[in-house]
Amino acid sequence: MTGPVSDTVRLAGLRARGRHGCLPAERELGQEFVVDVTLHLDTVPAAVSDDLAKTVDYGELAVRLTRIVEGDPVNLIETLAHRLAAACLADELVEEVEVAVHKPAAPVPVPFDDVVVTVRRRR
């Protein structure tokens, strides 16, 4: 096979409680964050060999990402999204990643459904 690979593995709706935000109440009380991750990688070696070691273990990745959301607080979800993307790119199989961080309980003074920051990073 030649040319660019366009395979993806998507982890959608990962939920974790974090204390991210600029307001003291956000740090004190925390809130639920929802994370969607799309990994771009070549899945052919895993598909041909049927070997988990040749692809991303999305269960293990979900645990790592949850620990980041539950870990050290940051002011901005942009910073959180950047940290999550870096964790995904730590796997050498991942060529590109798109991370969306949802903050559905953000302190917005008018009715809204969700606040989402999406970042895309490449090697």
Side-chain angles (χ1 to χ4, degrees):
M1 192 174 244
T2 61
V5 175
S6 61
D7 302 338
T8 62
V9 173
R10 182 164 165 80
L11 178 60
L14 179 67
R15 297 183 187 308
R17 190 161 185 83
R19 297 179 178 276
H20 311 288
C22 295
L23 301 178
E26 292 178 293
R27 295 294 180 103
E28 184 179 325
L29 301 173
Q31 61 190 285
E32 182 179 68
F33 292 83
V34 182
V35 176
D36 302 322
V37 174
T38 302
L39 309 171
H40 297 263
L41 66 152
D42 183 356
T43 64
V44 172
V48 170
S49 65
D50 199 29
D51 184 357
L52 178 60
K54 295 188 178 183
T55 190
V56 174
D57 181 339
Y58 48 80
E60 188 274 329
L61 177 64
V63 170
R64 281 193 292 134
L65 297 178
T66 298
R67 286 183 182 148
I68 292 169
V69 174
E70 293 174 343
D72 292 334
V74 296
N75 289 331
L76 303 176
I77 57 175
E78 291 85 346
T79 305
L80 180 59
H82 177 79
R83 288 182 179 179
L84 294 167
C88 293
L89 288 173
D91 187 317
E92 64 186 29
L93 296 174
V94 178
E95 299 168 8
E96 182 176 337
V97 63
E98 183 172 291
V99 175
V101 176
H102 302 256
K103 190 175 180 179
V108 175
V110 296
F112 75 103
D113 288 330
D114 200 1
V115 172
V116 184
V117 169
T118 303
V119 300
R120 179 174 275 195
R121 302 287 186 266
R122 291 187 180 127
R123 295 208 160 272

